[in-house]
Amino acid sequence: MRPGWRSGQSHGDGEEAARRWPASRCLVSLPRSYGDPKNYMAYYRRATVFLAMGKSKSALPDLSRVIELKPDFTSARLQRGNLLLKQGGLDEAESDFKKVLKSNPSDKEEKEAQSQLMKADEIQRLVAQARSSFNSQDYGTAAAQLDTIIETCVWDAASREMRAECFILMGEMGKAVSDLKAASKLKNDNTLAFYKLSTIYYNLGDHEMSLNEVRECLKLDPDHKQCYSHYKQVKKLNKQIRSAEELIQEERYEDAVSKYEAVMKTEPNVPRLSLLAKERMCHALAKGLQGSRAVSVCGEVLRLDPENVNVLKDRAEAYIQEEDYEAAISDYETAAKHSENDRQINEGLERAQRLLKQSKRRDYYKILGVKRTAQKKEIIKAYRKLAQQWHPDNFQDEEEKKKAEKKFIDIAQAKEVLTDPELRAKFDQGEDPMDPESQQAQHHHHFHGGHQGFQGFNPFGSGSFNFKFHYN
């Protein structure tokens, strides 16, 4: 037996010994040398170690065992009362504080017990008021009352669950999530908290977090009916969304759009998930060069979420495809207000401004009558048709011949630019590779690089290129 820990010593001597013995020197398990299972000081000492480690749940049974073995051990009873109060066990805490006051406590213990008893009485009153406010559907008041309760009862899962329910009904989902996460840790096997967390994330459109939380519920109870039913729905939805994102990565944009349409059919009743699906459809349509459809779908998203930067950027690109440069500029400018120093926005805005300026001059797509998304075969087909129509040999009148020559040069230049990937890319960025002024500006910026030979292009022979027209 260790010195100072004699059997039969008074509880005051025991407390003094406990104070002298550092917590770091105690083992969490009961030492064999104590032998006697009725040695209350061994349990008390272990309880103090648990408390020092922040393991109040583990300390509580040891403190109860101490009180069972030595009912007049006021320090242990006072500590248990404090723990019970923090856990929301108000009746049990009040009972402990009252017994401390009846057991000839020290002045310090008496003062603490009286203070805590008054606090417990006040919490009891607040709990009744919070329940009344909740039942009256005055959720804001109930939440405020629960705030005060939780300041004292910091480990009370029931109070946090009630406050979470208030937040849910008030639409403050972020706060509800915080309380439910705490409640899931404070209360063992809290399947209800995990289920509610999963449904909140699901309604917020966060399918991955929803799946994580419902899996936690099923770990605790594989046969939980609500969690299992919800798990099947979330798993199906999550699989569809992952598949759609893979299709976007593979640049299979039309398939991705179809997959997101399936997502909306799988869950038609959650607005956030429908909005997420439409946001990604907007992106896929813009990337797939389906400007008109993209503008429509992006617009549906922006009516509900007007500050969505990603959708504003996607719709701006779709407007460019539709040659509505002013609308594209407007979207990029709006996006820039909500996302400063975004390189993609700045570059897109500059490009849209160049294209607007360019559209007021010569537009090779319009000259050939094709869309900006036209493939090379379409461009060549349009060129041949127009070249046959406007070839100068078809005109006898001198004035008409001059007009045809000018038109024919434009058609030839349009074909040269739009069938050359590098020149077309320059034109799509707002530059005109056939315009001497534009080229001089670009030469200045790019150290005299580029296609200088296109300046002064003449399809009839004497320029940097010898043009030969073929009808076939």
Side-chain angles (χ1 to χ4, degrees):
M1 187 173 294
R2 294 189 178 182
W5 285 35
R6 299 181 302 278
S7 176
Q9 68 192 126
S10 71
H11 68 268
D13 292 340
E15 290 173 42
E16 180 60 30
R19 281 192 289 271
R20 290 199 312 267
W21 198 265
S24 61
R25 292 178 60 186
C26 290
L27 298 175
V28 175
S29 58
L30 288 173
R32 292 180 182 178
S33 59
Y34 291 129
D36 185 3
K38 293 186 178 181
N39 187 337
Y40 68 91
M41 281 308 303
Y43 291 102
Y44 182 72
R45 202 53 212 138
R46 186 168 67 176
T48 61
V49 173
F50 280 133
L51 289 172
M53 296 168 66
K55 297 183 177 180
S56 60
K57 285 184 181 179
S58 300
L60 199 56
D62 277 352
L63 290 172
S64 295
R65 180 63 175 154
V66 171
I67 294 164
E68 181 186 340
L69 293 170
K70 192 162 184 63
D72 63 345
F73 197 159
T74 55
S75 181
R77 192 177 290 278
L78 190 57
Q79 286 189 52
R80 187 177 73 170
N82 288 333
L83 289 181
L84 289 168
L85 182 59
K86 288 181 177 180
Q87 291 180 354
L90 301 177
D91 292 337
E92 298 93 331
E94 284 189 353
S95 175
D96 273 345
F97 297 140
K98 287 175 181 177
K99 286 179 180 177
V100 168
L101 293 172
K102 291 178 181 178
S103 64
N104 193 28
S106 67
D107 290 345
K108 182 180 178 182
E109 289 170 339
E110 181 179 12
K111 185 178 179 180
E112 183 179 352
Q114 286 177 338
S115 173
Q116 293 297 79
L117 183 60
M118 288 177 62
K119 189 178 287 185
D121 286 340
E122 175 65 13
I123 296 298
Q124 290 273 31
R125 183 180 64 81
L126 279 170
V127 167
Q129 289 177 350
R131 286 174 181 162
S132 176
S133 298
F134 185 87
N135 292 333
S136 301
Q137 299 182 6
D138 186 358
Y139 304 119
T141 300
Q145 290 161 339
L146 286 161
D147 288 345
T148 305
I149 293 168
I150 292 168
E151 284 177 9
T152 298
C153 305
V154 291
W155 301 327
D156 180 19
S159 293
R160 289 186 182 273
E161 287 172 340
M162 181 183 283
R163 189 170 68 175
E165 194 63 28
C166 290
F167 288 140
I168 290 170
L169 294 166
M170 292 163 65
E172 297 187 34
M173 298 305 174
K175 292 180 179 179
V177 165
S178 179
D179 269 345
L180 287 169
K181 281 187 175 292
S184 71
K185 294 180 175 68
L186 291 168
K187 182 178 174 182
N188 292 332
D189 301 333
N190 198 343
T191 54
L192 181 60
F194 285 118
Y195 174 70
K196 285 187 175 182
L197 280 167
S198 182
T199 56
I200 288 173
Y201 280 125
Y202 187 77
N203 288 319
L204 290 174
D206 194 336
H207 53 96
E208 291 186 345
M209 285 300 294
S210 178
L211 189 60
N212 290 341
E213 298 297 343
V214 79
R215 280 173 172 159
E216 291 299 319
C217 174
L218 291 173
K219 284 180 187 177
L220 296 173
D221 182 3
D223 298 321
H224 194 288
K225 288 184 179 179
Q226 285 179 305
C227 285
Y228 185 67
S229 175
H230 187 58
Y231 168 73
K232 289 193 293 183
Q233 172 73 359
V234 182
K235 186 180 179 182
K236 179 180 179 182
L237 194 80
N238 192 62
K239 185 178 179 181
Q240 288 179 321
I241 292 172
R242 283 179 175 272
S243 175
E245 288 302 308
E246 287 173 5
L247 290 168
I248 289 175
Q249 292 297 317
E250 295 168 5
E251 299 184 3
R252 295 168 58 189
Y253 300 117
E254 190 60 44
D255 291 338
V257 170
S258 298
K259 186 63 71 173
Y260 270 117
E261 288 173 341
V263 166
M264 290 193 291
K265 289 178 182 176
T266 298
E267 183 46 86
N269 301 316
V270 177
R272 287 296 306 173
L273 286 169
S274 295
L275 198 64
L276 168 68
K278 287 182 179 179
E279 177 180 339
R280 299 306 290 159
M281 286 170 63
C282 157
H283 178 70
L285 288 166
K287 296 292 285 184
L289 305 180
Q290 297 191 48
S292 178
R293 286 177 66 193
V295 166
S296 175
V297 175
C298 296
E300 291 179 37
V301 179
L302 290 169
R303 276 191 287 275
L304 296 171
D305 187 8
E307 297 180 4
N308 190 316
V309 172
N310 289 328
V311 176
L312 283 165
K313 290 192 287 188
D314 285 330
R315 190 172 71 170
E317 286 301 305
Y319 275 134
I320 286 175
Q321 293 165 22
E322 292 297 294
E323 301 178 18
D324 189 347
Y325 306 120
E326 290 180 348
I329 289 169
S330 176
D331 272 355
Y332 273 128
E333 287 176 340
T334 303
K337 292 177 184 177
H338 304 296
S339 181
E340 295 181 4
N341 302 319
D342 186 316
R343 182 178 175 183
Q344 188 180 12
I345 292 173
N346 294 335
E347 290 178 353
L349 178 58
E350 289 174 6
R351 181 161 59 92
Q353 289 169 336
R354 287 197 305 269
L355 289 167
L356 176 62
K357 185 178 179 182
Q358 180 191 84
S359 69
K360 295 175 181 178
R361 298 196 302 266
R362 180 166 51 177
D363 187 329
Y364 296 123
Y365 290 103
K366 286 184 178 179
I367 289 170
L368 294 183
V370 296
K371 291 185 176 181
R372 283 188 170 267
T373 56
Q375 300 296 313
K376 187 173 181 179
K377 286 183 179 179
E378 297 174 66
I379 292 166
I380 292 173
K381 182 178 178 182
Y383 158 72
R384 286 174 176 167
K385 182 178 178 181
L386 289 169
Q388 286 178 334
Q389 180 182 345
W390 290 99
H391 196 283
D393 290 348
N394 295 334
F395 299 88
Q396 303 302 320
D397 182 82
E398 285 301 317
E399 286 300 320
E400 289 184 356
K401 199 177 195 66
K402 286 180 180 179
K403 180 181 176 182
E405 285 180 357
K406 184 179 183 305
K407 186 79 172 175
F408 191 73
I409 289 172
D410 287 343
I411 293 166
Q413 288 183 329
K415 181 256 185 185
E416 288 295 331
V417 170
L418 298 184
T419 55
D420 182 307
E422 187 176 347
L423 296 178
R424 184 175 180 179
K426 281 191 173 187
F427 185 72
D428 287 344
Q429 291 297 320
E431 302 173 24
D432 186 349
M434 296 296 187
D435 179 21
E437 290 184 9
S438 174
Q439 286 301 289
Q440 285 172 8
Q442 291 306 315
H443 295 163
H444 174 74
H445 289 296
H446 299 292
F447 304 98
H448 304 282
H451 290 257
Q452 299 179 34
F454 277 95
Q455 296 180 33
F457 175 85
N458 182 350
F460 298 108
S462 61
S464 300
F465 284 83
N466 290 318
F467 176 79
K468 293 183 179 180
F469 174 70
H470 300 278
Y471 284 100
N472 56 352

